[in-house]
Amino acid sequence: MSTTLAALGEGELRRRLSSSGLTLRLPPFVARLQSDVPRVAQDLMRLYGEFALGRDDEFADFHLTVNYDRGLHALWRRLAGRRQARFSTDGLAAFTTLPATQAFHMVEWGLNWAVTAHAHHFVVYHAAVLERGGRALVLPAPPGSGKSTLTAALGQRGWRLLSDELALLDPRDGQLYGLARPVNLKNQAIALMQAFAPGAVMTAPVPDTLKGTLSLMKAPGDAISRVHEGARPAWVVVPSFEPGAEAVLEALPKAQAHLLLADQAFNYDIHGVDGFEATADLVDRVDCWGFTYSRLDDAIAVFDRLAAES
């Protein structure tokens, strides 16, 4: 049986991360992580403690590093109390430096980038995925739609979280997969979810990012223990948060749903005809809806009825 990250303890985790790194199994992928920023170890333990460690000599799909920035300019920032961190993959810097307080978010963003840039055996959509009774709910939506807040709430109320950000469609079996990674919350949604699910595990809010104040909510234990399980697509629902709105589902034309999924896909063009056909097949097999809401309890009631009636 594989050792979990939590079994290391935070001190040993920090030591390994800051030296040669460690291998973490994030089904369906394996990642090699290295970081000398203490906050990375702290948040990794908090959010990924139940995930399995891999062997040091195990093949890794991605090699990700977030370290303190080096050089003379970095020294001046350090003296001013404004240390920066830099993300790199396979030894090559991939993004600009950011404040070290955002180091763990850089790990999350970097992992998203690695999956979307390399995992072309899947069609990868920018969408949340949750499961109930073996059937998958897909929530594709642009930023600001309330997707992540709704996803976090459903994941705390009986829907199994597969993914908040990346929906992985396997064209070979038509199943959807996810990594059971944390849900990204920002600004007002952080306090909202703290009140809605006071027992949920969340990272300390990080202010002053390009997206505002950010926090990450850990995936529920059931989602992590069943991370290998895919789900059959059953619903595509496009959410839209509107203050004061009633929770209402409205039928969405399948052609419009296909266009939206294609627009939210990271590698649709790389798959070409196969990507078109895989997306068309997904849309053909599901019920498509638009959804407006303002109150989480009302939204959950609507989705629970949808699952019960379909």
Side-chain angles (χ1 to χ4, degrees):
M1 186 174 180
S2 299
T3 301
T4 63
L5 191 71
L8 289 180
E10 188 174 325
E12 176 64 11
L13 172 60
R14 185 180 299 185
R15 186 192 69 79
R16 289 199 192 183
L17 277 176
S18 62
S19 55
S20 59
L22 57 79
T23 303
L24 188 62
R25 293 175 181 162
L26 302 169
F29 307 110
V30 176
R32 185 77 183 173
L33 306 176
Q34 193 273 328
S35 178
D36 61 5
V37 183
R39 180 158 189 163
V40 171
Q42 177 184 341
D43 287 344
L44 193 66
M45 179 67 75
R46 177 181 293 268
L47 299 178
Y48 288 91
E50 296 170 45
F51 283 80
L53 288 172
R55 304 183 311 275
D56 285 344
D57 61 352
E58 185 171 341
F59 173 82
D61 298 282
F62 317 120
H63 292 76
L64 311 177
T65 300
V66 176
N67 280 332
Y68 284 122
D69 196 23
R70 302 288 192 269
L72 185 60
H73 63 288
L75 176 62
W76 284 113
R77 285 177 175 152
R78 180 177 182 178
L79 293 174
R82 295 184 287 109
R83 296 195 78 174
Q84 300 275 301
R86 183 181 294 277
F87 170 82
S88 60
T89 177
D90 294 325
L92 300 175
F95 307 135
T96 187
T97 59
L98 290 172
T101 53
Q102 300 178 36
F104 189 75
H105 291 274
M106 295 173 75
V107 173
E108 289 291 299
W109 297 330
L111 185 54
N112 285 345
W113 176 84
V115 171
T116 59
H118 300 292
H120 299 315
H121 50 301
F122 295 104
V123 182
V124 185
Y125 305 99
H126 179 218
V129 185
L130 301 110
E131 175 264 346
R132 172 75 69 85
R135 297 176 296 172
L137 165 68
V138 185
L139 301 173
S145 62
K147 169 186 66 67
S148 291
T149 307
L150 180 59
T151 299
L154 288 167
Q156 295 291 322
R157 293 294 189 272
W159 290 76
R160 176 170 67 98
L161 174 69
L162 276 75
S163 179
D164 169 45
E165 290 284 345
L166 304 178
L168 308 176
L169 175 66
D170 190 336
R172 298 167 297 182
D173 62 11
Q175 295 273 98
L176 284 161
Y177 297 88
L179 287 75
R181 290 169 56 206
V183 178
N184 295 274
L185 299 172
K186 59 180 179 289
N187 302 323
Q188 295 90 340
I190 298 172
L192 179 64
M193 288 310 303
Q194 287 172 332
F196 183 82
V201 176
M202 300 173 65
T203 60
V206 177
D208 302 324
T209 78
L210 292 175
K211 299 181 179 181
T213 299
L214 302 179
S215 178
L216 292 158
M217 174 183 280
K218 181 183 177 182
D222 178 61
I224 296 172
S225 66
R226 298 172 59 193
V227 66
H228 292 278
E229 297 180 27
R232 172 176 56 85
W235 309 278
V236 170
V237 179
V238 182
S240 177
F241 175 82
E242 297 181 10
E246 296 298 320
V248 176
L249 282 171
E250 295 183 345
L252 183 71
K254 286 183 179 286
Q256 186 175 340
H258 187 139
L259 288 173
L260 178 61
L261 283 169
D263 183 62
Q264 295 294 312
F266 292 96
N267 56 358
Y268 187 86
D269 56 335
I270 292 174
H271 282 273
V273 172
D274 290 340
F276 172 85
E277 292 181 346
T279 303
D281 181 62
L282 185 157
V283 171
D284 187 56
R285 290 184 288 143
V286 304
D287 295 327
C288 301
W289 303 92
F291 178 61
T292 56
Y293 79 100
S294 62
R295 294 178 292 275
L296 290 176
D297 286 326
D298 294 346
I300 290 169
V302 168
F303 282 98
D304 286 347
R305 286 197 300 270
L306 183 67
E309 295 170 359
S310 300

